[in-house]
Structures are given as C-alpha cells and as structure tokens.
C-alpha cells in the first residue's frame, strides 16, 4: 500500500511539474505579444516603454520559474516542451492580431506535439 501511495505521489508531482512548465511557457509566449504591441507604438513613447517593461517583467518571472523547473526535471524533457510556445504564438497571433492560421501551421504544430510526446514518453 505504501509503494502505491509513493507512486501516486510521484505521478502527481510530475503532472504538477509539467503543468508548471507549460504555464511558464504560456507566460513566456505573452512576452512576444507585448513585444509586438510595443513595436506598433511610437518609439520611446509611454505605451512603448509600458509594453517593453511588461516584456522584461514576464521574462524575469519566466527565468526564475524555468530555473526551478530545471532543478526538478531533466533538461532534455524541459527543452523538448519549449516549442509549445510557438503554438501559443499562433494562438495569440490569431486572437489578438487577427493573423491567419494555415493548415501548414497546424501540421507543424502536430509534428511538434508528436515530437514532445516521443521525448516525454521515451522511458515508458
């Protein structure tokens, strides 16, 4: 019974760690949104500095969370999940900037997810 509880605890921890990783990747992708918003503003204007300040704030928080994740997860697994931010970029582009998502983009995203699945499930 104790072994089953230990295994369940490890699985929950892994799920929480993967969830934390993906939440941090989601926030890091928002820095790209803020960067694009800043690029659309007049150089050195107040909105320009606001959006670039958000970029710096997001990347600072992301760097701290990323370091904590690397303490608990193999680098290969953590890095294999980073391309998910490209998919978030597509979603943000469509939702915020009305950019078009093409079938090639969806195909590329599918390949990314397949690659992540292959890397993460390698030990199973």
């Amino acid at each position: 019974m104790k072994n089953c509880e230990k295994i369940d605890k490890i699985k929950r921890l892994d799920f929480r760690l993967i969830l934390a990783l993906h939440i941090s990747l989601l926030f890091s992708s928002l820095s790209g949104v803020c960067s694009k918003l800043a690029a659309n503003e007049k150089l050195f204007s107040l909105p320009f500095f606001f959006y670039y300040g958000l970029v710096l704030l997001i990347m600072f928080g992301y760097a701290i969370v990323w370091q904590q994740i690397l303490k608990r997860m193999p680098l290969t697994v953590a890095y294999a999940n980073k391309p998910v931010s490209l998919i978030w970029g597509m979603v943000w582009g469509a939702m915020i900037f009305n950019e078009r998502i093409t079938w090639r983009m969806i195909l590329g995203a599918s390949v990314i997810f397949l690659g992540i699945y292959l890397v993460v499930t390698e030990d199973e």
Side-chain angles (χ1 to χ4, degrees):
M1 188 74 173
K2 268 193 164 182
N3 283 339
C4 289
E5 289 175 8
K6 265 186 175 178
I7 290 171
D8 284 344
K9 188 175 180 180
I10 289 170
K11 283 182 180 176
R12 274 195 311 248
L13 183 64
D14 287 343
F15 175 75
R16 281 189 233 149
L17 194 57
I18 295 284
L19 185 64
L21 172 65
H22 282 269
I23 289 172
S24 72
L25 292 172
L26 171 77
F27 278 106
S28 78
S29 70
L30 288 174
S31 72
V33 171
C34 292
S35 184
K36 183 161 181 161
L37 288 171
N40 290 333
E41 297 295 332
K42 187 176 177 183
L43 191 63
F44 302 124
S45 66
L46 189 60
F48 172 85
F49 284 115
F50 173 74
Y51 289 124
Y52 269 111
L54 282 177
V55 169
L56 292 174
L57 184 67
I58 290 169
M59 294 313 292
F60 177 76
Y62 170 72
I64 291 173
V65 173
W66 179 251
Q67 294 300 317
Q68 296 305 310
I69 287 171
L70 288 181
K71 276 184 179 177
R72 297 165 178 85
M73 179 181 278
L75 181 63
T76 53
V77 174
Y79 243 89
N81 283 272
K82 278 191 109 174
V84 168
S85 60
L86 297 173
I87 295 166
W88 282 116
M90 281 181 3
V91 171
W92 299 137
M95 287 177 60
I96 298 171
F97 302 108
N98 294 323
E99 294 174 352
R100 212 171 124 226
I101 295 177
T102 64
W103 283 108
R104 285 183 179 186
M105 291 175 164
I106 293 171
L107 178 65
S110 301
V111 170
I112 288 170
F113 275 119
L114 178 64
I116 291 170
Y117 176 78
L118 290 174
V119 170
V120 172
T121 59
E122 181 188 12
D123 294 335
E124 293 178 5

